[in-house]
Amino acid sequence: MAYRVVHYINQFFAGVGGEEKADYRPEARDGAVGPGLALNGALGGDAEIVGTVICGDSYFADNIEEAKKQILELIAKFEPDAVVAGPAFNAGRYGTACGAVCEAVANELNIPTVTGMYEENPGVDMFKKATYIVKTADSARGMKDAIPVMAKLVLKQLRGEPIGKPEEEGYIPKGVRINYFADKIGAVRAVDMFVKKLKGEPYTTEYPMPVFDRVPPNPPVANLAEATIALVTSGGIVPKGNPDHIEASSASKYGEYSLAGVESLSAETHETAHGGYDPTYANENPNRVLPVDVMRELEKEGVIKKFHETFYTTVGNGTSVANAKKFGAEIAQKLKDANVTAVIVTST
Amino acid sequence: MKLELHKVKVTDLKWGDKTLFDGGTLYVNKAEIEEMLLEDERFAKVSVDFAKPGESVRILPVKDVVEPRCKLEGENEVFPGFIGDVDTVGCGKTLVLSGAAVVTCGRIVGFQEGIIDMSGPGADYTPFSKTNNVVLVFEPKEGLEKHEYEAACRMAGLKTAHYLACAVKGAAADEVETYELPCFAEAMKSHEGLPKVAYLYMLQSQGLLHDTYVYGVDAKKILPTLIHPNEVMDGAIVSGNCVSACDKNNTYSHLNNPVIKEMYARHGKDFNFVGCIITNENTTLADKKRSSSYAVKLARLLGVDGLIITEEGFGNPDTDLIMNCRKAEKAGIKTVLLTDEYAGRDGASQSLADACSEADAVVTAGNANEVVVLPKMEKVIGFPEYADIIAGGFDGSLREDGSIETEIQAITGATNELGFNRIAAYTG
Amino acid sequence: MPVVHVCTIVPISLTVGANRIVPAVAIPHPLGDPTKTPEEEKQLRKHLVMKALKALQTEVEDQTVFND
Amino acid sequence: MFGKYEKYKVISNNKILEGQIDCLEFVKGDALSVLEKARDYIHQGWALLNHPLYGNFTPRQQPYRTILLGLRVSKEHKPFNVDLESLGLIEKSILKFRSGMPEGSKNPPRVESVAEDYAILDLYLVSVNLNRYGIKYDFSKAISNGINTGW
């Protein structure tokens, strides 16, 4: 009997409509719809699309938890063996939805999942650990190439066959190290690589070292007296009691707190959530990490025009680069939207 | 220095009244070995057993593996400082019982020793499922301190290896391999146009039960120094450690160091292999700094263009590896590193405890945390109850049906950082 | 939108790619010093924040550490 | 080099060292809490003298850690001068320990049955460094502290 596959797509690929229909609510249809027809063909009879679940991109983005729950229920009713989502190409909201659906399916239904996205789709960084994401072109023109690769990956998982290297299988690396038996022993591989490096020929390291990004510096503040300055910290300063439960290490979230009416931080109002240093001094006087007292003073003195009354905080200790990047991007967007001129980031 | 390895191929083991070699079979007098080893008063009991390729046999806990060797011609005897005198080795002719190995087995500390399966999935991971193994199982005298017990086991393995090889003297070699590198004065002038390279050989030297011996000297007490690769083939480097089974270099892999072998093979073709530098892996930071600087200084004195660097163990030796790499690259010496990884069971954690951007050419011997299931074997040599507490094993790892669920860290030689095996890893 | 990083361990800040860096006092209290009186301590903090603001007003082409 | 520290501190949760070393700060808790205590001192200017990941154990295997710290002899000693190398190492080690902790923690090794082995092995490894820096302790007393069971 053929394996049962459910396909998740958005309103556009289901032919419901474009942006004007993006608030379309989750809906299930029997059999394949839109790109599912090609996918069904690529599955070659070993697996079959028994149902398609459709959801508008805006509806998903605006009601993530609720939408996920509804979609999961609709998927579960088909009693599938696997779920394929997208491909979403470079559509950010669609990619995020595909990733989130795959993640939820893997966690709740414990069955294989595959989706497809363009490398720069924000869904890639968010969900590449949770599901196989096939590398696609940036637009639907890449559909023809993406479908067979996605079909092959889902079939391999269904049959319990080993999944090969990302470049061979066409998926974006999940970032996990996997053992395999190479053709040659390690010493021979090392000497081969050595000879190439000595000759200046290209070679590929078997273990890439962790790397950090660089960004070009932004232009300076022209007129400080007209500037709005915000504070951001990785020192873990939070309102007393740590209302959002930011983790002491390996933070999975950041906090966003108002300082309206706050002239200075104190042991009564704030503390640190950071587990990476002796918290005694920061708890005694949180201004030692987040200098709110001085910022207020400078605001009064007119050195700066305005102290931005929301501060952003997380714990830098052991926090993954991926999470830190995500926090950084979100915080930067919020500060930009609030017309902040410049930012002081404090770290312990 | 010129050394001939006279390799006699052992294809089978049998018990006999006299230890001798005949038609590929090594006959072993069990009583004679037991008697010889019991001369050491530190042992209460010694027993000898066989484990051959393909058999449904598991050995645990394994301490060391030694290849039987003895000198046929040339100065001194193999394993200088233990069997031989402390004079130089590496010249003349050495008899090698290839295809045979002495495996020492005993509980020294209740963890940190390994598993060898002679068949099944576990056999794919250990190089010693392919050798005909003479297994020594020890029990110490009551109250013997652990490091004394380790020394006794170490000596017993070397003695037995030497004893077996000596009994085969006179047998015709199946193969003779010749290894020769000239003195530095000559080496510097030869192979014009080829880059000069050396091998930086890191030795585990963290303390009692974590040591390696060079001519009988505890390696943590040495400054990095030069060694001729032929000396290594005669047993100048002996393992004395009980660290994680998968990536400690047992004496067998020192004797058969595949990096040395491969560098010899490409010598004069792709590069001019001028020699080996040995260095240690001590735990004080001052020692780490001193040794890495000193080792790289030796490489600079040799004027080499490149270094292959191999690590032993994991954790703090990662710091030595990275220091060696960074200092060499800063001195303009191109490096390739050989290591293994501890990326967690899911492979998602950081593999090494240290990193640097200069380390852009790394060969990996795999993720030691990968979990495998080793099915029940018909026969277990040693102490099966230790599967639970061996490194990489965990409570419940010895299942009721006799199978073992474990990380490959517990398998002897599985992620050998001399590059002994085909295992590797990629980012998936 | 320019950013200044006030931190104790400058080399880490350089590694992660901050472009304007102002060295701080100590890890457990980057903008303070518990051995000083509260007034002195606040003066010290103000000095550091002013230095950070100055860094924000300075044109930089590469990673720059603003020492005294 | 080995004489440039005016003060030493040994931080350990290894019970067989308790009472054996003058400058010992005994920590009741797991290996990670020893590393965190050492980190707090490093933040205050102490230097790390031994690598926190000594011994080839994955973090969940070895319950004992013993860390040596030294305070530099310096005329113009700044109170908050952090030794960067020490800091980098302790941070990386803590990360390793944290990442290694959850793994298998549902099925930790039967530590009790080998606790003495772990304690003695820890002593073995650390004794090399104690000797190196001339920190006095009674090796055999510590060993006899540890031997409650034979093997």
Side-chain angles (χ1 to χ4, degrees), chain D residues 4-144:
Chain D
K4 72 176 183 179
Y5 300 98
E6 61 174 350
K7 271 199 265 178
Y8 294 102
K9 203 182 272 291
V10 177
I11 300 176
S12 179
N13 66 341
N14 186 349
K15 55 191 174 163
I16 69 172
L17 289 177
E18 209 176 353
Q20 304 302 321
I21 305 171
D22 284 344
C23 59
L24 178 75
E25 185 168 329
F26 188 76
V27 174
K28 275 196 177 131
D30 58 7
L32 184 60
S33 58
V34 173
L35 299 190
E36 286 175 346
K37 179 55 89 180
R39 177 206 58 207
D40 289 350
Y41 281 113
I42 289 166
H43 285 176
Q44 289 169 40
W46 291 74
L48 193 59
L49 301 183
N50 67 330
H51 197 297
L53 302 176
Y54 64 88
N56 280 49
F57 308 102
T58 58
R60 66 194 167 77
Q61 287 167 344
Q62 169 57 298
Y64 300 117
R65 286 284 93 176
T66 302
I67 301 293
L68 267 62
L69 299 171
L71 200 59
R72 264 169 229 272
V73 182
S74 164
K75 286 274 177 313
E76 65 247 84
H77 178 70
K78 285 194 212 156
F80 308 122
N81 214 355
V82 174
D83 183 84
L84 281 181
E85 219 166 5
S86 303
L87 181 72
L89 268 174
I90 198 81
E91 287 287 353
K92 282 175 203 159
S93 306
I94 286 174
L95 267 186
K96 267 278 157 202
F97 261 75
R98 286 216 178 103
S99 72
M101 289 299 224
E103 227 178 83
S105 62
K106 281 176 230 145
N107 290 304
R110 281 186 203 137
V111 171
E112 307 77 40
S113 66
V114 284
E116 306 307 334
D117 285 1
Y118 281 118
I120 288 171
L121 203 63
D122 183 64
L123 170 70
Y124 275 173
L125 289 169
V126 167
S127 63
V128 177
N129 304 331
L130 294 173
N131 292 336
R132 199 71 147 161
Y133 286 95
I135 298 168
K136 290 203 171 52
Y137 67 102
D138 191 331
F139 185 84
S140 36
K141 232 185 185 165
I143 289 270
S144 59

Side-chain angles (χ1 to χ4, degrees), chain B residues 48 87 93 108 117 129 131 225 277 294 296 325 351 382 394 423:
Chain B
V48 186
D87 294 322
K93 295 175 180 172
I108 294 176
D117 276 3
S129 60
T131 47
T225 188
I277 301 164
Y294 205 102
V296 170
C325 165
S351 293
F394 48 89
I423 192 168

Side-chain angles (χ1 to χ4, degrees), chain A residues 220-221 224 229-231 291 294-295 298 303-304 342-346, chain C residues 2-7 19-24 31 44-58 60 64-68:
Chain A
V221 176
L224 198 61
I229 308 289
L231 287 184
V294 167
M295 293 306 289
L298 294 172
V303 176
I304 59 172
V343 185
I344 298 176
V345 178
T346 66
Chain C
V3 176
V4 58
H5 192 198
V6 183
C7 68
N19 288 319
R20 292 177 174 87
I21 302 166
V22 170
L31 291 111
L44 170 79
R45 179 153 54 247
K46 193 160 177 182
H47 173 73
L48 277 171
V49 173
M50 288 304 291
K51 218 158 90 176
L53 291 173
K54 201 170 159 221
L56 287 172
Q57 294 170 274
T58 310
V60 298
T64 309
V65 180
F66 292 83
N67 285 305
D68 272 319

Side-chain angles (χ1 to χ4, degrees), chain B residues 180-321:
Chain B
E180 186 175 15
L181 284 184
C183 69
F184 289 132
E186 213 178 295
M188 296 303 153
K189 286 183 292 186
S190 23
H191 306 294
E192 212 180 311
L194 290 182
K196 279 196 273 296
V197 301
Y199 169 35
L200 178 52
Y201 194 164
M202 295 170 59
L203 307 175
Q204 181 75 252
S205 61
Q206 302 188 67
L208 289 171
L209 302 181
H210 288 68
D211 285 323
T212 304
Y213 297 86
V214 182
Y215 279 90
V217 175
D218 178 350
K220 71 171 164 290
K221 295 177 179 156
I222 66 163
L223 277 177
T225 188
L226 296 166
I227 196 165
H228 193 288
N230 293 1
E231 294 175 88
V232 179
M233 299 179 189
D234 268 350
I237 301 176
V238 163
S239 168
N241 61 58
C242 302
V243 297
S244 69
C246 66
D247 59 6
K248 70 171 172 186
N249 296 331
N250 35 54
T251 304
Y252 187 101
S253 47
H254 284 303
L255 290 167
N256 290 287
N257 186 317
V259 172
I260 289 178
K261 203 172 172 193
E262 189 60 17
M263 287 182 89
Y264 255 121
R266 313 276 284 259
H267 171 59
K269 299 183 193 105
D270 293 306
F271 44 64
N272 179 6
F273 176 32
V274 298
C276 283
I277 301 164
I278 48 172
T279 186
N280 49 19
E281 299 173 349
N282 290 8
T283 58
T284 63
L285 297 181
D287 282 323
K288 287 185 186 302
K289 281 195 226 174
R290 181 188 301 110
S291 289
S292 53
S293 292
Y294 205 102
V296 170
K297 180 204 67 188
L298 288 177
R300 293 169 68 185
L301 288 178
L302 290 175
V304 297
D305 303 294
L307 271 180
I308 290 195
I309 308 176
T310 60
E311 185 183 3
E312 180 174 7
F314 69 99
N316 84 80
D318 295 347
T319 300
D320 299 280
L321 179 73

